[in-house]
Amino acid sequence: MTSRSRHPGDSAGQAVPGTASAELLRSEPGPRPRALLLSAGLVSAGAVALAAGALLPVIQGGSPGFIAAPLLVVLALAPAAAVLYALATGRSGLAAGLVLGLTALAPGRLLLDLQLLADGSLAARPELFLADRLLALPPAGPGLWPLVAGHLLTLAAGAFAAGAARDEAELAGELDGRRRWRLLGPVLGVAGGVGLLLAPFGSGNAYLLAKNAFEGPTVAMAGYLLLAALLPLTALVAVSSPSAEVGKGGFAGAGLAALAVGVPPVIAGLVVDRLSVAPGSVVVTVAGLALVGLAFTRFDVTETREAVTGDMAGEAKLPGLFWWRLATGGLALLAAAAAAAGALAPVLKANGPTPVPETPARWLLLGAAVVLAVPALFVFVPRLSAFARGVVAATWAGVVLAGAAVLSAALSVTEDKAVDPALFGVDLPLPDKVGFSAGPGVTWTFVALVLAAVAALAAVITGVVERDVSDDDDNAELDTGLDGTRAGGNVLTPLVAAAILAIAAFGSPVFTAPGYTAPGLWSDFGAASWGLLGALAVVLGLYALVPRSRPAAAASALAGAALVLGLRAAELPLVGSEYDGSSAGIGFWLALGAAAVTLVTAGMAVAGARRAG
């Protein structure tokens, strides 16, 4: 049963999808149907342009590493065919969702193709171009411009499809919060986003180095980062759509776009000499297939087993909450364990007798592991689970903050190391093995980042399920710790003050030392700055949610944000003590101040709710 077949009583006073009035409303001529037809036409034109770009050389005088044109044509035309089929069968919501899913990932794909224009010799795109000699800024070929045009047409199509999707959402009525299959979408989006950050393939070709998103050229890095952020966000938007058809279309569109990015490197690894399949592209491909498959699942809850009412219905919901809490706590503990392993294992290993330097940031990563592990343990305690889950939803950002610093230190040492000629099968005039390479600490740190992101997503989904239970069960607040009120507007002033202090704390150095340049947000932006930016985004996002949250949920989120700010201040004793002549910087005092104001705000949210009660 889809949202089109709701009973008339479900939404009084408005046309219900599936009824005669709704179908007449949908079939009336107007701007929305015409806009959806125009959107489908733009997507089709964009697909033809992408297919044409695959048939033409993207670099003058260059050629792809294998005969990829048939595969690329299929990947380009399949989404447009799906949109046209949805329109032909009268499923306008599905068509609109498909277009929006494709549009969301179009900017990242456009940047990946623009790397061919910036410097094609650095682009890891063997399906379009594979160099057979050293090149410096090779000129773009005629195939690049149809690719760019195809992405721009897809972006334009999304602007016209948005209105149709909004109409479908209005016809669908209120979001049914118990479409549990939808909750898998963001999980798959996060998994695909992680895969996009990994190296797309393994390489033993001296002219095509296999690098992850952070090690690659700037334009491609921006494209991969944008894709990694937008893929889970698109899945999350599809989850929140009241229309099941739009949600399914969003999953399918995002999945098809992910397949267009993930499948070509997998095939290249299988068929191109000196290339091998890497986990990154496999994860992206599997996530894309799963998102497309999710579009064929049943979204609505009025299935036989979920139509039960009374006490049996309440009992049927509790196991779902139990398992989500178990997943949240378990994933957070695994992330903490991986972070501890990353902090204690060697981050670098020498390719010779050179002494191996250690990064002081590893102690910050160990502190982040503790900050995440302690509340994760209390997730398993029923009475404290809801509060601890809210703290976990914030403290995972500490792993991002510290992990980025560890990875940045490793990259700064290894990025310029000499290569081993045996790995490339060519006779290079270089010593056999010199410099440094990444140690097991880098691997464990990256695993910790992935697990922390998945744990955060599980914590968010668990919060949704907790709210469902609390709304549906009069006694549920005894377990979840949530009541029906909101924190209210009395916390707005301290929240704004905390937000200003937090921005300044993450943008200012926590300590200063002779010869040390701290990574920043406004200057000296480097790999470690991404950790600062990510942690700040999490803290500010939690602040934004507090006024609309229930008091206990607001207090737990603010407590977690205070711990992240405290971890930022802890850089002075944990990291700064490793540098001679270090002293407290302005960021240390700002972080302490932001943490204190945040804790005061948490107390005000709870106290204000008690006075209101």
Side-chain angles (χ1 to χ4, degrees):
M1 176 177 176
T2 66
S3 60
R4 296 179 182 275
S5 54
R6 294 174 186 252
H7 297 293
D10 290 345
S11 184
Q14 60 178 327
V16 179
T19 64
S21 58
E23 295 301 324
L24 287 174
L25 177 63
R26 186 177 282 105
S27 61
E28 288 179 356
R32 295 303 190 203
R34 287 197 294 267
L36 192 56
L37 287 174
L38 180 58
S39 176
L42 289 171
V43 163
S44 301
V48 172
L50 292 173
L55 298 173
L56 299 172
V58 296
I59 297 294
Q60 290 185 18
S63 60
F66 64 104
I67 303 176
L71 171 66
L72 298 179
V73 168
V74 170
L75 292 173
L77 297 181
V83 173
L84 294 176
Y85 174 79
L87 277 181
T89 55
R91 302 176 68 178
S92 57
L94 180 63
L98 275 164
V99 174
L100 292 178
L102 293 168
T103 299
L105 270 64
R109 295 178 62 189
L110 174 62
L111 287 174
L112 293 185
D113 287 343
L114 287 177
Q115 178 59 52
L116 294 164
L117 178 63
D119 189 350
S121 65
L122 300 178
R125 303 293 299 276
E127 74 276 14
L128 295 174
F129 169 67
L130 180 60
D132 56 2
R133 62 189 184 279
L134 292 177
L135 297 171
L137 298 175
L144 178 60
W145 309 115
L147 294 177
V148 173
H151 298 311
L152 294 177
L153 288 169
T154 304
L155 284 170
F160 291 99
R166 192 161 48 246
D167 287 350
E168 289 289 329
E170 292 174 357
L171 287 172
E174 293 296 326
L175 171 66
D176 192 335
R178 295 178 56 202
R179 293 174 183 169
R180 298 291 170 84
W181 275 109
R182 286 188 172 191
L183 300 181
L184 293 176
V187 177
L188 295 170
V190 169
V194 170
L196 287 164
L197 299 179
L198 300 175
F201 44 74
S203 176
N205 188 321
Y207 306 114
L208 181 61
L209 301 182
K211 297 182 177 181
N212 60 43
F214 298 101
E215 297 174 318
T218 303
V219 178
M221 179 184 71
Y224 282 120
L225 290 176
L226 193 58
L227 286 171
L230 289 177
L231 183 57
L233 181 60
T234 303
L236 192 61
V237 171
V239 166
S240 63
S241 174
S243 170
E245 291 290 285
V246 173
K248 291 179 178 182
F251 286 145
L256 290 170
L259 289 175
V261 177
V263 171
V266 173
I267 303 302
L270 292 173
V271 303
V272 178
D273 188 31
R274 297 191 182 278
L275 297 187
S276 60
V277 178
S281 296
V282 174
V283 171
V284 176
T285 300
V286 172
L289 289 172
L291 284 171
V292 174
L294 196 61
F296 293 93
T297 60
R298 205 170 193 176
F299 273 29
D300 293 288
V301 298
T302 50
E303 298 174 339
T304 304
R305 74 177 70 181
E306 292 185 339
V308 182
T309 58
D311 295 337
M312 292 181 65
E315 291 296 324
K317 291 178 288 187
L318 291 178
L321 177 58
F322 168 79
W323 287 111
W324 278 113
R325 284 177 170 174
L326 181 64
T328 300
L331 286 168
L333 287 176
L334 288 175
L344 300 176
V347 175
L348 298 171
K349 58 183 180 181
N351 297 327
T354 308
V356 178
E358 292 292 346
T359 170
R362 67 188 188 280
W363 302 120
L364 184 64
L365 183 59
L366 186 60
V370 174
V371 169
L372 179 60
V374 172
L377 291 172
F378 289 99
V379 173
F380 302 107
V381 181
R383 292 284 181 175
L384 301 175
S385 181
F387 188 89
R389 188 270 313 159
V391 176
V392 168
T395 52
W396 74 278
V399 177
V400 175
L401 174 67
V406 171
L407 294 178
S408 174
L411 287 174
S412 65
V413 176
T414 60
E415 63 182 1
D416 295 325
K417 70 179 186 297
V419 297
D420 179 3
L423 294 176
F424 300 96
V426 294
D427 185 17
L428 296 177
L430 295 172
D432 285 343
K433 291 184 178 181
V434 297
F436 302 99
S437 58
V442 171
T443 302
W444 282 114
T445 301
F446 190 84
V447 170
L449 290 172
V450 173
L451 289 174
V454 178
L457 182 59
V460 172
I461 294 175
T462 304
V464 174
V465 179
E466 283 175 350
R467 195 177 186 95
D468 290 345
V469 173
S470 180
D471 289 340
D472 295 340
D473 188 347
D474 292 337
N475 297 320
E477 65 270 17
L478 297 177
D479 182 42
T480 63
L482 304 174
D483 55 35
T485 63
R486 291 180 178 178
N490 64 312
V491 298
L492 286 179
T493 299
L495 271 180
V496 172
I500 294 173
L501 288 172
I503 293 172
F506 282 103
S508 304
V510 172
F511 68 91
T512 59
Y516 172 76
T517 302
L521 295 179
W522 333 120
S523 61
D524 298 307
F525 194 94
S529 301
W530 289 104
L532 296 173
L533 190 60
L536 176 61
V538 171
V539 170
L540 295 180
L542 292 171
Y543 287 162
L545 293 174
V546 163
R548 299 182 59 84
S549 301
R550 303 180 185 189
S556 65
L558 290 171
L563 286 174
V564 176
L565 289 164
L567 187 66
R568 170 64 172 162
E571 288 187 37
L572 175 61
L574 294 177
V575 181
S577 60
E578 298 287 319
Y579 292 89
D580 295 333
S582 63
S583 60
I586 185 64
F588 173 76
W589 305 109
L590 290 170
L592 287 181
V597 174
T598 301
L599 289 176
V600 170
T601 308
M604 292 177 60
V606 176
R610 288 177 177 174
R611 288 195 300 269

